Amino acid sequence: LKTRRGITEKIDGVLKSYRKIDEELFEDLEEVLIMADIGVDTSLKIIENVKDKVRERKITEVDDIKGLIKEEMKSILKGGENSKLDFSKSPSIVLVVGVNGAGKTTTIGKLSSRLKNEGKKVLIAAGDTFRAAAIEQLQEWSNRSGVDIIAHSEGADPAAVIFDGIQSAKAKGIDVLICDTAGRLHNKVNLMNELNKIFRIVEREFPEAKKEVLLVVDATTGQNAVQQAKVFKEACDITGIVLTKLDGTAKGGVVLAVQSEINVPVKLVGVGEKLEDLQDFDPDEFVDAIFEG
Amino acid sequence: MVFEGLASKLQDTLDKLKSKGRLTEKDVDTAMREVKMALLEADVNFRVVKDFIKKVKERAIGQDVMGSLTPAQQVIKIVNEELTELMGKEESKINFASSPPTVIMMCGLQGAGKTTTSGKLGGLFKKKGKRPLLVACDVYRPAAIKQLEVVGEKLDIPVFSMGDKVDPVNIAKAGVEHGKKNGNDLIIIDTAGRLHIDDELMDELGNIKSEVQPQEILLVVDSMTGQDAVSVAETFDEKLDVNGVVLTKLDGDARGGAALSIKAVTGKPIKFIGMGEKLDQLEVFYPERMSSRILGMGDVLSLIEKA
Ligand SMILES: Nc1nc2c(ncn2[C@@H]2O[C@H](COP(=O)(O)OP(=O)(O)OP(=O)(O)O)[C@@H](O)[C@H]2O)c(=O)[nH]1
Ligand SMILES: Nc1nc2c(ncn2[C@@H]2O[C@H](COP(=O)(O)OP(=O)(O)OP(=O)(O)O)[C@@H](O)[C@H]2O)c(=O)[nH]1
Ligand SMILES: [Mg+2]
Ligand SMILES: [Mg+2]
């Protein structure tokens, strides 16, 4: 039903049109990477490293270049530490943040279901009190996944909701508390301050919990995701990225730029709108998908 | 802003060339490398960038440098003119039906801003004396109908819905009937977000279109979209022959290269821009403002315009 197209054909096309490795070949390969949203700087960096290796290893086969590029991309993505989500410690708290419409609330629905199925006691907190029907949306997800929800009414102070969520998590002996937040653009100072306040409440009220702050990034996003990661990291010390909507044709290549510039690893990927459409991030699979589609 | 870079980079590289009087091929080539990078950083689609650079090169080589400008400024001037040309000259309006009601259908990827923009459009035209009706055709996303209802309530605009168990095509049809009966002269149909490669859901949009024959089909696109904006816009346009684009979330700091890409590949105008989450934050699109945003150098341009 759904047709996918990778950049393999393009790369293969590029490689086929060259008999030997030369500057023009590298320029074309760089274009291919940019088309995957990897960005100019990171693409240049990848190509530079590949060039070095070609020289070091005295590579003469044009065909070997693709493997080298993949290798380079994988090493960027595997560069960070703590790249796996770990909920073995109880209690844990997950704060889910990001720009508008990225997929935060949906991701929370999926994640809560997954953790519940693993036998954990999960609670979700409806920290988006701003967007129209955001609370009802999360409520529907809590029905679907069968986990409890803490919610105030629209317009309430989001920090108060999170505070309540934490108290309730403590009282009920919850394993994982997952907090939704309103979508916000990172250049809105007031909204980022509000988020920072929420973050500080988590630190103050729930120091015993293992903390995970996930920035949700839509895979169709271009270079702006780098700036998003930078600013959200300052406001609430993000520990990982959830890359959503990878079921589309966009490849989410910008996470390579994010990883190499901000050093925040991708931890989860969203591949659809259903409860089960959440996967652990696998750098090998991700890079292969960029090439193989 | 993050990107004042292009103007000064151009100045530097071109100063080194010290060209006099006339732009040489070497000047232009050097300058175009920087322009190309700037456009790519702004998420303009690579193919669009390539075509654009070629066109500008052809025009720029051999041109006289105007006395009041440096060669760098002269190149920027040409780039800006071509960019503005590509973006379309004037702001575009909504097509209103000669005999009401006018039907507007919204479409786009998930989370782009369709529901919010439906409300904003209703609000905008309500202020201008229209009697809008919002029709809730998203039966898939949790609480999508409720969201539109809340939006409608805030704006004091009626919302037509039939719950989430009815086929969206039938809801659209019934919504338009309902609007006609109740004297609504503007009917805005909110649809579910969908991937352009989801044939089934794309067919659904096609069926809504043939059922209600909207005067206006608007593709809603997130201004943060990267290289893929082109394939998204192309596919929606092929399927639905859209009338225009709404670019949302421009209150952010993305440079919005998607705008240029979409215009270049579909030829369809950007009609409105979303400038915030609040329901009055919708503006008419002005192409010339977008080109300086994409290039990331508003100040330089205003300087050049005075020259
Ligand atoms: N195809 C696809 N759609 C997704 C995915 N994740 C989320 N969506 C859709 O994207 C849209 C926005 O998702 P939300 O979860 O509401 O996003 P959000 O970040 O909470 O949005 P705000 O709270 O408004 O900022 C919805 O239509 C979701 O169904 C995914 O992995 N794939
Ligand atoms: N900052 C900002 N946020 C916007 C703008 N337009 C929409 N949003 C926000 O973007 C998010 C998604 O908007 P929706 O209107 O729900 O998007 P949608 O296309 O209807 O989403 P789906 O129905 O899930 O596909 C919400 O948080 C909106 O408040 C805008 O111009 N600026
Ligand atoms: Mg949400
Ligand atoms: Mg919607």
Side-chain angles (χ1 to χ4, degrees), chain B:
Chain B
M1 285 255 183
V2 227
F3 33 74
E4 291 127 23
L6 177 62
S8 57
K9 264 190 209 154
L10 274 183
Q11 199 82 55
D12 287 352
T13 38
L14 288 181
D15 279 352
K16 272 184 221 130
L17 295 170
K18 288 204 184 58
S19 53
K20 294 172 205 81
R22 191 158 281 204
L23 292 172
T24 67
E25 191 166 347
K26 201 169 168 211
D27 292 339
V28 175
D29 272 346
T30 317
M32 282 308 125
R33 283 236 324 266
E34 303 293 345
V35 173
K36 180 176 151 190
M37 291 305 170
L39 292 174
L40 289 173
E41 286 295 343
D43 293 318
V44 180
N45 181 268
F46 191 86
R47 304 230 165 79
V48 175
V49 171
K50 231 169 156 172
D51 288 349
F52 178 78
I53 295 288
K54 197 169 151 230
K55 207 165 143 208
V56 174
K57 260 188 195 169
E58 276 163 17
R59 197 189 132 186
I61 293 171
Q63 269 212 9
D64 292 333
V65 180
M66 291 162 69
S68 55
L69 299 179
T70 65
Q73 288 172 332
Q74 178 78 2
V75 171
I76 292 172
K77 182 175 148 72
I78 297 169
V79 168
N80 184 48
E81 280 167 11
E82 288 293 329
L83 212 50
T84 307
E85 169 85 24
L86 198 64
M87 294 291 312
K89 284 227 165 61
E90 273 161 55
E91 84 270 32
S92 313
K93 303 251 152 57
I94 289 285
N95 300 310
F96 283 102
S98 45
S99 65
T102 297
V103 179
I104 303 179
M105 171 175 150
M106 313 297 286
C107 64
L109 295 182
Q110 287 92 346
K114 294 171 294 301
T115 306
T116 308
T117 307
S118 299
K120 286 176 173 178
L121 279 171
L124 184 77
F125 288 110
K126 185 176 177 229
K127 270 193 206 138
K128 295 186 175 171
K130 297 264 186 247
R131 299 191 36 172
L133 172 73
L134 299 169
V135 180
C137 284
D138 181 354
V139 299
Y140 309 105
R141 168 175 168 169
I145 298 171
K146 177 75 189 178
Q147 184 187 358
L148 193 67
E149 282 169 352
V150 171
V151 165
E153 200 179 315
K154 283 185 183 153
L155 292 161
D156 195 21
I157 294 174
V159 175
F160 179 85
S161 73
M162 296 171 79
D164 59 7
K165 304 283 180 292
V166 179
D167 184 344
V169 181
N170 293 334
I171 300 174
K173 192 176 158 198
V176 172
E177 286 310 316
H178 176 91
K180 279 180 183 163
K181 237 181 274 155
N182 288 275
N184 298 108
D185 52 7
L186 178 64
I187 298 171
I188 302 169
I189 299 177
D190 182 29
T191 64
R194 66 203 71 214
L195 296 172
H196 55 295
I197 49 170
D198 187 333
D199 293 336
E200 205 175 305
L201 285 184
M202 290 302 282
D203 284 344
E204 178 190 272
L205 287 180
N207 293 337
I208 294 178
K209 175 181 176 176
S210 37
E211 195 63 61
V212 303
Q213 313 238 331
Q215 277 65 40
E216 191 81 35
I217 299 178
L218 294 176
L219 174 65
V220 181
V221 180
D222 186 323
S223 60
M224 295 177 274
T225 311
Q227 296 286 318
D228 208 39
V230 159
S231 69
V232 172
E234 248 173 350
T235 317
F236 272 97
D237 192 37
E238 271 161 24
K239 185 81 196 180
L240 299 167
D241 188 17
V242 305
N243 299 84
V245 174
V246 181
L247 202 61
T248 60
K249 310 179 198 174
L250 265 175
D251 47 323
D253 62 5
R255 284 170 60 182
L260 184 63
S261 307
I262 291 172
K263 183 67 187 1
V265 298
T266 65
K268 299 300 165 66
I270 294 156
K271 297 197 171 187
F272 295 96
I273 54 175
M275 290 299 289
E277 294 186 74
K278 299 211 186 73
L279 295 170
D280 57 356
Q281 292 175 317
L282 184 75
E283 295 176 11
V284 168
F285 176 72
Y286 293 100
E288 65 278 6
R289 293 184 199 161
M290 197 66 214
S291 60
S292 65
R293 177 173 179 139
I294 290 173
L295 286 173
M297 40 184 222
D299 292 352
V300 180
L301 291 178
S302 55
L303 233 154
I304 291 168
E305 271 152 26
K306 280 181 210 134

Side-chain angles (χ1 to χ4, degrees), chain A:
Chain A
L1 189 82
K2 291 173 185 172
T3 41
R4 275 168 161 263
R5 220 186 25 177
I7 57 177
T8 298
E9 299 153 52
K10 290 179 235 157
I11 290 234
D12 287 345
V14 168
L15 292 177
K16 263 192 210 106
S17 56
Y18 292 89
R19 293 249 174 69
K20 61 177 177 47
I21 297 165
D22 62 11
E23 203 46 41
E24 219 177 315
L25 165 68
F26 284 114
E27 261 170 45
D28 283 0
L29 288 170
E30 182 193 316
E31 294 176 10
V32 172
L33 297 181
I34 289 169
M35 284 292 281
D37 285 320
I38 291 168
V40 176
D41 288 346
T42 309
S43 297
L44 283 174
K45 194 171 126 186
I46 292 171
I47 298 286
E48 281 312 313
N49 290 347
V50 168
K51 276 183 185 171
D52 287 347
K53 284 189 182 150
V54 166
R55 232 173 287 126
E56 276 164 29
R57 302 183 196 173
K58 302 200 166 48
I59 288 165
T60 53
E61 282 298 302
V62 170
D63 286 345
D64 293 339
I65 302 282
K66 189 162 92 186
L68 282 182
I69 291 178
K70 278 192 184 180
E71 202 180 288
E72 200 56 43
M73 290 162 77
K74 287 174 188 176
S75 94
I76 290 175
L77 291 171
K78 287 174 185 169
E81 287 156 41
N82 305 322
S83 64
K84 284 270 174 299
L85 276 182
D86 177 14
F87 294 111
S88 54
K89 187 172 182 291
S90 176
S92 291
I93 182 165
V94 188
L95 196 57
V96 180
V97 303
V99 297
N100 307 83
K104 295 174 291 299
T105 307
T106 308
T107 298
I108 291 170
K110 297 172 186 173
L111 183 61
S112 60
S113 164
R114 169 167 146 177
L115 292 173
K116 192 192 165 177
N117 289 338
E118 287 171 8
K120 302 222 180 313
K121 255 182 110 175
V122 182
L123 178 68
I124 55 185
D128 181 358
T129 58
F130 179 75
R131 210 209 62 207
I135 298 168
E136 287 86 346
Q137 185 188 2
L138 193 66
Q139 240 143 15
E140 173 59 29
W141 280 110
S142 94
N143 290 340
R144 288 183 187 182
S145 59
V147 307
D148 286 344
I149 179 170
I150 293 289
H152 294 185
S153 51
E154 194 179 321
D157 177 8
V161 179
I162 305 304
F163 181 89
D164 262 15
I166 293 171
Q167 303 317 321
S168 172
K170 286 179 182 170
K172 292 180 184 160
I174 290 292
D175 295 315
V176 187
L177 170 65
I178 312 177
C179 307
D180 196 9
T181 62
R184 67 199 76 221
L185 297 176
H186 51 282
N187 61 333
K188 304 280 169 80
V189 176
N190 291 344
L191 295 180
M192 294 312 282
N193 287 342
E194 177 193 87
L195 186 61
N196 180 256
K197 184 176 155 198
I198 293 172
F199 177 71
R200 281 185 284 123
I201 283 183
V202 170
E203 292 209 302
R204 193 184 69 208
E205 298 296 325
F206 216 8
E208 67 271 34
K210 175 164 189 289
K211 209 162 56 232
E212 219 25 280
V213 183
L214 299 177
L215 175 70
V216 179
V217 175
D218 182 329
T220 54
T221 314
Q223 298 313 300
N224 194 247
V226 178
Q227 194 61 18
Q228 290 172 23
K230 217 176 268 175
V231 183
F232 273 98
K233 192 170 184 183
E234 278 162 27
C236 58
D237 198 18
I238 52 173
T239 58
I241 301 232
V242 182
L243 189 61
T244 59
K245 311 184 195 176
L246 261 183
D247 45 328
T249 50
K251 295 299 181 188
V254 70
V255 297
L256 276 130
V258 169
Q259 174 85 62
S260 90
E261 290 182 40
I262 323 288
N263 197 22
V264 180
V266 186
K267 296 194 170 174
L268 292 168
V269 298
V271 292
E273 299 181 82
K274 293 195 295 297
L275 210 54
E276 62 275 16
D277 293 331
L278 186 72
Q279 300 170 357
D280 284 323
F281 178 70
D282 178 338
D284 295 316
E285 241 173 58
F286 178 78
V287 170
D288 290 345
I290 286 184
F291 285 83
E292 273 127 41

